[in-house]
């Protein structure tokens, strides 16, 4: 990939709206641009199939005031949602974008459900840290692979062109920093130059670029990156070369519960429903309920960089709604034991210490006093058969990125608009602020779907308005 944008002489073809990346952001952008009347929309995707981090995710989108919530008697609204995002982000995220995504998320989930038939349902049986009500919406398998497959199908039905095996390797811009086209490189090394009138960057962040992770997020320098490896920071590098403003580059979403060595995400439901984590000494080491994102670094700071999620069969039954958890069980990552002693033996943990940790947790559930300050209010005692998974911490995706306005248009260092550049999802600065603890569950797909939809509609509108002027 070249980061120096230059103006090429002539293009093989020209398309009004070009989108880089076919994850949730790019495909939502494509659908919205098409709906808004763009004469042609082309999505370039480096992989043989649209997958991205979206396919690795649980596919859960937080949204407030939806009909799915109302059907379960849950009262929620955009202001409450925005307040939750702000509180988790220590008020560091862009206020206008926070309000925007909180306001538009409900309409976006219902757009996908009603216009494209996505069978969403609300995750109603456990709480996510930081959300004051239950507002996570997911597909039946609770997997992002299902989400990206449905988005791809919807785009194909709308006859939107998705060109796979097509890495955008260079941007061409003019002296005003308007993007005039892109260079697309095929796996055989051949290249095409395609012109465009508006460009949407939906190629996620820089988790797959070790040099950028080391530069912006040193604490995750040696952590395993669990997101899509093709997300190599192209949007940030191109944006920078065009004078774009970067925001909150040290922010990231981590996760403190990735089965090790199986590399399968273990849902945080196992913790939030009354489970806990211990280290190899059999001791708890934190208030796990603060959030899974900040827990990545906490787990990595433990001996051997690992921990154990401890829960029971009742909680496992809730976790089984997730495809990932079912897979983890299938490959033997979830250990079962009839007693604490047997659990200690199977996990090779000191029996006496683990038994004492169990006693402390169960006493905290009764008395409300936990030495780590965690509230175990209303959480049931664990009962046999007990369950456990050996886990580690990982970097899931980066949260810093290109500063955008409420139309998802990229801003330059002075806060002015770049002429025709848009960004969404992991390519744009998220609403999570500058540290891992700022990530509220679902901020990733929230900004991918909402800003994706807005960026596509805005790009189509910009192209139309310029055509009218001509
Ligand atoms: C294990 C895991 C679980 C998660 N669970 C959740 C969850 O439940 N809820 C939630 O909100 N978030 C979750 N996230 C975060 C979420 O997956 C991301 O925030 C979201 O998928 C980002 O969407 P995107 O479209 O911006 O990027 P992606 O889905 O990564 O798509 C970007 C696409 O761009 C392509 N690309 C990159 N560079 C180029 C280029 N130069 N040319 C062409 N194509 C290019 C990539 O191949 C990729 O397909 C999770 C993340 C992980 C890793």
């Amino acid at each position: 990939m070249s980061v120096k944008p230059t103006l090429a002489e002539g293009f093989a073809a020209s398309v009004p709206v070009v989108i880089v990346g076919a994850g949730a952001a790019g495909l939502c952008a494509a659908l919205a641009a098409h709906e808004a009347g763009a004469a042609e929309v082309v999505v370039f995707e480096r992989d043989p199939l649209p997958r991205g981090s979206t396919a690795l995710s649980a596919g859960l989108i937080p949204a407030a005031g939806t009909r799915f919530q109302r059907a379960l008697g849950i009262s929620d609204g955009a202001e409450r949602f925005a307040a939750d995002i702000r509180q988790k982000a220590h008020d560091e995220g862009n206020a206008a974008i926070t309000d925007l995504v909180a306001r538009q998320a409900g309409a976006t989930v219902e757009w996908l459900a009603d216009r494209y038939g996505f069978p969403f349902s609300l995750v109603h049986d456990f709480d996510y840290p930081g959300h004051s009500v239950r507002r996570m919406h997911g597909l039946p398998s609770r997997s992002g692979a299902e989400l990206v497959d449905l988005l791809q199908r919807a785009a194909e039905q709308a006859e939107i062109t998705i060109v796979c095996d097509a890495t955008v390797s260079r941007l061409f811009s003019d002296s005003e920093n308007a993007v005039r086209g892109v260079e697309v490189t095929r796996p055989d090394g051949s290249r095409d130059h395609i012109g465009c009138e508006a460009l949407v960057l939906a190629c996620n962040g820089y988790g797959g670029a070790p040099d950028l992770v080391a530069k912006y997020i040193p604490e995750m320098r040696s952590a395993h990156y669990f997101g899509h490896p093709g997300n190599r920071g192209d949007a940030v590098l191109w944006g920078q070369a065009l004078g774009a403003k970067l925001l909150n580059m040290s922010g990231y979403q981590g996760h403190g519960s990735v089965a090790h060595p199986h590399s399968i995400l273990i849902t945080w439901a196992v913790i939030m429903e009354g489970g806990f984590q211990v280290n190899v000494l059999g001791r708890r080491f934190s208030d796990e309920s603060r959030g899974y994102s900040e827990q990545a670094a906490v787990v990595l700071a433990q001996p051997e960089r690992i921990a154990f999620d401890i829960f029971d069969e009742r909680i496992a039954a809730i976790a089984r709604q997730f495809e990932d958890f079912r897979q983890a069980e299938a490959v033997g990552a979830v250990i079962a034991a009839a007693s604490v002693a047997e659990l200690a033996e199977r996990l090779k943990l000191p029996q006496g210490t683990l038994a004492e940790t169990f006693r402390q947790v169960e006493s905290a559930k009764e008395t409300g006093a936990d030495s780590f300050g965690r509230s175990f209010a209303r959480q049931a005692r664990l009962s046999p058969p007990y369950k456990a998974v050996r886990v580690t911490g990982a970097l899931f995706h980066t949260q810093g990125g290109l500063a955008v306005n409420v139309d998802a248009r990229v801003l330059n260092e002075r806060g002015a608009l770049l002429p025709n550049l848009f960004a969404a999802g992991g390519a744009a600065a998220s609403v999570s602020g500058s540290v891992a603890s700022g990530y509220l569950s679902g901020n990733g797909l929230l900004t991918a779907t909402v800003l994706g939809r807005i960026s596509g509609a805005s790009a189509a509108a910009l192209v139309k308005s310029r055509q009218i002027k001509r």
Side-chain angles (χ1 to χ4, degrees), residues 1 20-26 44-47 49-62 128 136 166-169 202-205 226-228 230-232 234 238 253 265 292 324 395-397 399 424-427 439 441-448:
M1 194 215 52
V20 188
F44 290 113
E45 166 54 54
R46 73 185 320 148
D47 284 355
L49 259 183
R51 308 308 302 151
S53 286
T54 302
L56 301 170
S57 78
L60 300 180
I61 308 172
Y128 272 90
M136 287 293 199
T167 301
V168 173
S169 41
C203 44
N204 208 327
F226 205 65
H228 186 261
N231 296 328
R232 301 189 187 148
D234 295 353
W238 288 326
Q253 179 203 355
L265 168 62
Y292 53 70
D324 286 332
L395 169 63
F396 270 22
H397 72 131
Q399 290 292 286
Y439 184 87
S441 307
N443 275 358
L445 285 173
L446 172 69
T447 51

Side-chain angles (χ1 to χ4, degrees), residues 39 74 159 167 179 197 259 343 462:
I74 295 170
E159 298 186 358
T167 301
V179 178
E197 291 174 56
L343 192 66
L462 179 78

Side-chain angles (χ1 to χ4, degrees), residues 340-361:
V340 176
E342 186 191 343
L343 192 66
E345 194 186 318
R346 297 205 62 192
L347 301 178
K348 298 187 176 53
L349 298 179
Q351 207 183 105
T353 317
L354 186 64
E356 177 55 25
T357 302
F358 258 81
R359 268 192 297 278
Q360 286 167 0
V361 169

